[in-house]
């Protein structure tokens, strides 16, 4: 069951973050940090369908994470969930059309190696 | 004789760029700290829910009787909001790896705060994740180019 919860968490996290990044860029940069302005920004976020979907995926990921923490060590559960980084970097290039610098690819490869070491 | 208009524009651009770098650093730190503290409280709370198990409520609600679990959740809400804010100007392919510095801090929290037995392989794995994060962090200046059009979709253009 530990592996099933880990896989569910990784996939849901990836879906949530790709959706968040895509829609936050469409919204535009947040540069007014006064409480009233921030409340307005949060209110606008909560009316955007991709953000609502991303929060749904985040909720799935969160409950999978809670179950994982119940069964496994924090020092296993959190680094193992870094598997989502590799998926997200690939999707950032393929779906979000980000320019991923070669240094970022190298960094992501090292992260992947670290996760593989923890999982084996 | 005043400064040429080009010079003023250039000074404004440098100020905007410096401000963006500081803002990125500050929010990156907030994302990492709230994540590590939130996870540590949740892990501690989730393994100590026996007291509520005897109560006549559904099992999935039992963890939510613990104030420590709620503290962890509150910190993870701070993490989520600060991360969404950071994503409003920074690339996902920058934010995800650089905030993964928190992974090794989570292992440290497990070992030193929660008393978990962490073997060498787990530490090495976490250190590789940090190494990957540092390499990615070296590309931070890729986040500071502001499109002349200002805000909105396409305000940030990747450096080619």
């Amino acid at each position: 069951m530990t592996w099933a919860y880990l896989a569910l968490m990784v996939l849901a996290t990836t879906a949530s973050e790709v959706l968040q990044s895509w829609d936050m860029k469409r919204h535009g940069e947040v540069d007014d940090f006064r409480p009233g302005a921030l409340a307005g920004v949060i209110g606008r976020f909560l009316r955007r369908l991709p953000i609502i979907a991303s929060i749904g995926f985040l909720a799935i990921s969160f409950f999978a994470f809670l179950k994982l923490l119940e069964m496994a060590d924090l020092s296993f559960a959190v680094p193992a969930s870094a598997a989502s980084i590799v998926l997200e970097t690939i999707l950032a290039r393929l779906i979000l059309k980000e320019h991923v610098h070669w240094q970022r690819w190298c960094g992501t490869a090292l992260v992947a190696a670290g996760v593989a070491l923890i999982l084996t | 004789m005043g400064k040429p208009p080009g010079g003023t524009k250039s000074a404004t651009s440098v100020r905007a760029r410096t401000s963006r770098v500081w803002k990125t650093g500050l929010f990156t730190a907030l994302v990492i700290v709230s994540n590590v503290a939130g996870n540590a409280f949740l892990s501690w709370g989730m393994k100590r829910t026996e007291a509520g198990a005897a109560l006549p409520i559904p099992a999935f609600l039992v963890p939510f009787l613990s104030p420590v679990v709620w503290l962890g959740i509150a910190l993870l809400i701070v993490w989520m909001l600060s991360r969404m804010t950071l994503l409003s100007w920074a690339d996902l392919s920058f934010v995800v790896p650089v905030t993964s510095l928190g992974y090794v801090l989570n292992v440290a929290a497990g070992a030193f705060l929660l008393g978990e037995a962490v073997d060498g392989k787990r530490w090495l794995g976490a250190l590789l994740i940090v190494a990957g994060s540092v390499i990615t962090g070296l590309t931070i200046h890729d986040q500071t180019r502001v499109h002349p059009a200002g805000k909105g979709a396409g305000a940030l253009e990747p450096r080619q």
Side-chain angles (χ1 to χ4, degrees):
Chain A
M1 280 308 273
T2 302
W3 295 101
Y5 281 118
L6 180 62
L8 180 63
M9 185 195 163
V10 167
L11 292 175
T13 303
T14 303
S16 169
E17 292 185 345
V18 170
L19 277 169
Q20 256 185 53
S21 183
W22 177 67
D23 202 49
M24 292 298 286
K25 294 295 188 309
R26 288 171 68 216
H27 171 274
E29 182 172 345
V30 176
D31 52 10
D32 189 346
F33 297 100
R34 288 171 297 180
L38 272 182
V41 167
I42 291 170
R44 282 200 302 279
F45 287 163
L46 295 178
R47 287 197 295 271
R48 297 171 77 94
L49 197 59
I51 294 292
I52 293 167
S54 86
I55 292 171
F57 280 116
L58 204 61
I60 294 170
S61 162
F62 178 70
F63 280 102
F65 182 55
L66 279 185
K67 290 302 288 181
L68 198 57
L69 282 181
E70 204 177 82
M71 300 171 184
D73 284 350
L74 175 70
S75 57
F76 167 82
V78 174
S81 69
S84 63
I85 291 175
V86 183
L87 277 179
E88 286 166 17
T89 306
I90 293 167
L91 293 181
R93 180 74 193 94
L94 296 180
I95 295 177
L96 304 178
K97 308 292 181 196
E98 291 182 4
H99 169 71
V100 183
H101 195 278
W102 65 268
Q103 271 178 294
R104 287 189 203 169
W105 282 120
C106 290
T108 305
L110 277 175
V111 169
V115 173
L117 205 60
I118 286 162
L119 294 183
T120 52
Chain B
M1 283 179 61
K3 285 182 181 174
T8 307
K9 270 186 190 170
S10 170
T12 307
S13 163
V14 167
R15 270 198 300 275
R17 193 182 169 90
T18 307
S19 158
R20 179 76 71 87
V21 170
W22 274 104
K23 199 166 73 167
T24 302
L26 185 71
F27 272 85
T28 302
L30 181 62
V31 169
I32 292 171
V33 169
S34 56
N35 177 257
V36 174
N39 285 337
F41 281 118
L42 269 186
S43 183
W44 194 87
M46 286 302 292
K47 292 186 177 77
R48 285 163 184 80
T49 54
E50 301 87 4
L55 295 174
I57 56 170
F60 74 94
L61 289 178
V62 170
F64 298 101
L65 295 174
S66 162
V68 178
V69 168
W70 280 108
L71 181 58
I73 290 171
L75 283 163
L76 290 182
I77 289 171
V78 171
W79 166 71
M80 189 187 81
L81 292 177
S82 55
R83 199 166 185 282
M84 282 173 74
T85 307
L86 184 60
L87 278 171
S88 75
W89 67 83
D91 281 355
L92 180 66
S93 54
F94 165 79
V95 172
V96 170
V98 85
T99 56
S100 69
L101 277 171
Y103 287 104
V104 78
L105 296 177
N106 273 290
V107 173
F112 301 120
L113 300 179
L114 305 176
E116 294 172 0
V118 179
D119 63 9
K121 211 169 68 166
R122 205 173 279 182
W123 277 114
L124 185 60
L127 287 173
L128 278 173
I129 294 173
V130 171
S133 304
V134 171
I135 286 177
T136 306
L138 295 175
T139 68
I140 192 167
H141 290 288
D142 271 6
Q143 303 306 312
T144 58
R145 241 178 65 151
V146 183
H147 191 277
K151 296 166 73 173
L156 283 170
E157 284 193 344
R159 178 176 291 169
Q160 298 299 322

